[in-house]
Amino acid sequence: DTAVSQTPKYLVTQMGNDKSIKCEQNLGHDTMYWYKQDSKKFLKIMFSYNNKELIINETVPNRFSPKSPDKAHLNLHINSLELGDSAVYFCASSQDREDGSPLHFGNGTRLTVT
Amino acid sequence: KQEVTQIPAALSVPEGENLVLNCSFTDSAIYNLQWFRQDPGKGLTSLLLIQSSQREQTSGRLNASLDKSSGRSTLYIAASQPGDSATYLCAVRPYTGNQFYFGTGTSLTVIP
């Protein structure tokens, strides 16, 4: 069973379009994240979300919006796609415990904007 | 703000060598530190998690250490194999906020 799954794996689209990436976790975790990995492989947090709080990285354009229908899902919606949005987007999850818990990743969605 | 740095950025070693990857972080107020492996075009696989109260964790040929006071962690790989070739990333979870901060990664190549 895949713990954190995201779809699609590849997404090619044109500038100006709106697209969504879906993410689901079956680990029972209460916190989910979206990360962006740029061409230099640097991972940068975009959002973290649990049933209490959405934390948005202030550098993320408001064209990006997370949508969580329930605790096991955190989808990423992107409006008016730009060339610079091309990257690999990773969904992840963890349990929000005081002693900290491991971070589990999906396999990523490679977005190419043409 | 927490900053995480990994040195070296790239490393190439002959098969069989033991090697050490380094990770440093600026704020020692962390819950844990986690080491990941990323193969080309793939997601991140968790290797080891060290809680802030621990000094080290071991899994097979891998040993990770944590020195919170100095803001450092090392990942030791014994008897390296070509299959170890990948990018290795470390990440820390601070006490405040609800996110993990990642290092810049070390790209490891093990030459047969």
Side-chain angles (χ1 to χ4, degrees):
Chain A
D1 284 342
T2 303
V4 182
S5 60
Q6 52 182 112
T7 56
K9 186 173 182 179
Y10 300 98
L11 183 55
V12 181
T13 188
Q14 291 183 326
M15 285 176 55
N17 285 348
D18 302 339
K19 290 294 179 184
S20 291
I21 306 172
K22 294 184 177 181
C23 179
E24 175 182 7
Q25 54 95 6
N26 62 7
L27 296 166
H29 287 166
D30 55 17
T31 305
M32 296 183 73
Y33 311 82
W34 278 104
Y35 280 87
K36 178 180 180 180
Q37 189 173 45
D38 59 24
S39 57
K40 295 183 178 179
K41 306 298 183 186
F42 183 63
L43 273 163
K44 190 172 182 181
I45 183 74
M46 299 179 70
F47 305 99
S48 67
Y49 183 79
N50 61 23
N51 57 5
K52 305 169 191 172
E53 189 176 19
L54 170 66
I55 300 175
I56 302 172
N57 185 319
E58 59 196 16
T59 65
V60 175
N62 57 16
R63 298 181 295 104
F64 291 79
S65 57
K67 298 187 190 300
S68 181
D70 55 58
K71 186 178 165 181
H73 296 82
L74 183 66
N75 303 324
L76 181 65
H77 190 75
I78 316 169
N79 290 327
S80 303
L81 278 155
E82 300 178 357
L83 292 176
D85 297 333
S86 295
V88 181
Y89 292 84
F90 286 98
C91 177
S93 71
S94 71
Q95 187 65 22
D96 190 14
R97 298 195 315 238
E98 282 193 357
D99 61 349
S101 69
L103 190 59
H104 296 260
F105 276 87
N107 285 328
T109 296
R110 182 174 294 276
L111 171 65
T112 303
V113 182
T114 62
Chain B
K1 181 187 172 184
Q2 180 75 263
E3 292 186 4
V4 184
T5 306
Q6 290 184 247
I7 295 173
L11 182 62
S12 184
V13 300
E15 181 177 2
E17 258 196 25
N18 303 325
L19 58 101
V20 175
L21 306 180
N22 297 292
C23 172
S24 61
F25 47 96
T26 54
D27 187 346
S28 61
I30 62 169
Y31 277 128
N32 61 47
L33 183 144
Q34 196 168 355
W35 281 94
F36 293 88
R37 168 189 173 135
Q38 185 176 26
D39 293 285
K42 299 289 180 66
L44 279 75
T45 302
S46 179
L47 298 173
L48 290 163
L49 174 80
I50 310 178
Q51 301 287 4
S52 62
S53 59
Q54 298 174 324
R55 298 284 293 183
E56 65 179 305
Q57 281 286 334
T58 298
S59 176
R61 294 182 294 109
L62 306 180
N63 176 279
S65 69
L66 175 64
D67 184 345
K68 231 175 56 160
S69 60
S70 67
R72 292 183 181 181
S73 176
T74 61
L75 179 66
Y76 174 83
I77 303 177
S80 58
Q81 302 171 359
D84 295 332
S85 298
T87 297
Y88 291 80
L89 297 118
C90 65
V92 298
R93 181 169 178 194
Y95 287 147
T96 57
N98 194 20
Q99 62 170 292
F100 293 75
Y101 290 88
F102 278 82
T104 45
T106 294
S107 178
L108 173 66
T109 302
V110 180
I111 304 166

